[in-house]
């Protein structure tokens, strides 16, 4: 007889998107001869870059204006990976899954180690039921940012959905090590149910 294991529903914030909150600094170039043939730079009269302005408007909740400004930042080459990632979140929240995946992928094209893009792609794939791809992107996000606990919790849920119960328990135990005791109950309940399943 098959045993039915009911998994607890995750807290919504664990599966929610993670927005890039500030412009990433550009890696310093190694010392050596200066490149005399770089393109011209536009000098802005105010302090905010296109991306920073888009982020500010996005945080104020003006989705349409934020979308335009993220696109303008992309067109101007300003923080491409970050702008694509945050634009992907807007598309996802509006229900445009394909556009969201495209933007997250473009973010990764510009920065293959972009933590938020991997994490958001994993969440999106998990939401649509593509657990193998969700697993890959959670694992990559953990490689990039090993101290972010929600990646472990969500990976644990994904492994559970893939019926990889022992692996899910190990990942959830790691989540417990990284999070506060306030978050233990849900992980402990899930661990207990998973251990009963195998």
């Amino acid at each position: 007889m098959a045993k039915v294991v009911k998994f607890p529903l995750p807290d919504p914030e664990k599966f929610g998107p993670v927005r890039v909150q500030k412009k990433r600094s550009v890696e310093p170039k190694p010392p050596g001869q200066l490149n005399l043939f770089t393109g011209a730079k536009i000098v802005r009269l105010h302090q905010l870059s296109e991306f920073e302005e888009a982020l500010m408007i996005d945080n104020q909740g003006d989705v349409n204006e934020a979308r335009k400004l993220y696109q303008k930042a992309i067109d101007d080459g300003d923080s491409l990976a970050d702008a694509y990632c945050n634009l992907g979140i807007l598309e996802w929240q509006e229900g445009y899954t394909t556009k969201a995946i495209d933007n997250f992928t473009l973010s990764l094209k510009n920065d293959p180690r972009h933590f938020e893009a991997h994490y958001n792609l994993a969440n999106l794939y998990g939401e649509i039921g593509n657990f193998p791809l969700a697993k890959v992107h959670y694992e990559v996000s953990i490689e990039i940012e090993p101290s972010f606990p929600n990646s472990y919790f969500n990976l644990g849920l994904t492994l559970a959905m893939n019926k990889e119960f022992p692996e899910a328990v190990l990942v959830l135990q790691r989540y417990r090590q990284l999070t506060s005791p306030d978050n233990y109950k849900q992980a402990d309940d899930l661990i207990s149910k998973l251990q009963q399943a195998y």
Side-chain angles (χ1 to χ4, degrees):
M1 179 191 299
K3 192 185 260 188
V4 176
V5 178
K6 292 188 177 186
F7 298 114
L9 296 174
D11 288 341
E13 108 272 345
K14 288 189 176 57
F15 273 119
V18 173
R19 184 172 279 112
V20 177
Q21 288 298 323
K22 65 179 185 173
K23 186 176 183 176
R24 295 176 194 272
S25 62
V26 177
E27 293 286 323
K29 294 190 179 183
Q33 186 172 348
L34 294 175
N35 185 353
L36 300 175
F37 303 103
T38 60
K41 182 176 179 177
I42 298 173
V43 178
R44 299 173 59 87
L45 297 178
H46 55 81
Q47 296 296 319
L48 297 178
S49 70
E50 294 291 347
F51 173 78
E52 292 165 334
E53 192 174 341
L55 180 60
M56 183 181 71
I57 298 297
D58 191 359
N59 287 332
Q60 293 172 356
D62 188 346
V63 174
N64 292 330
E65 188 62 24
R67 181 180 279 116
K68 290 177 194 172
L69 290 170
Y70 283 132
Q71 189 59 56
K72 186 164 178 15
I74 290 166
D75 294 342
D76 291 350
D78 180 23
S79 302
L80 288 171
D82 297 340
Y84 274 123
C85 182
N86 286 359
L87 188 57
I89 291 170
L90 295 179
E91 298 294 357
W92 180 10
Q93 291 172 334
E94 294 288 314
Y96 301 116
T97 304
T98 305
K99 287 182 180 180
I101 291 171
D102 185 46
N103 280 298
F104 293 140
T105 304
L106 288 168
S107 175
L108 292 174
K109 179 181 177 186
N110 285 281
D111 179 2
R113 294 186 49 81
H114 195 274
F115 164 73
E116 293 88 350
H118 279 290
Y119 181 77
N120 290 324
L121 257 176
N123 285 335
L124 183 54
Y125 284 134
E127 187 178 284
I128 63 174
N130 191 333
F131 300 116
L133 277 177
K135 177 183 172 184
V136 169
H137 285 284
Y138 283 131
E139 289 171 341
V140 173
S141 73
I142 287 169
E143 284 292 320
I144 296 168
E145 194 67 47
S147 63
F148 187 66
N150 288 355
S151 293
Y152 292 91
F153 186 86
N154 294 349
L155 177 58
L157 288 175
T158 301
L159 291 168
M161 298 304 290
N162 280 336
K163 298 187 180 357
E164 299 175 52
F165 301 138
E167 296 86 354
V169 168
L170 291 174
V171 170
L172 289 168
Q173 288 170 341
R174 180 67 180 135
Y175 165 77
R176 284 185 89 256
Q177 294 171 353
L178 293 172
T179 193
S180 69
D182 299 341
N183 296 320
Y184 286 178
K185 183 179 178 352
Q186 191 174 21
D188 290 343
D189 290 346
L190 185 54
I191 289 169
S192 174
K193 290 181 181 182
L194 289 169
Q195 287 173 331
Q196 292 172 12
Y198 67 91

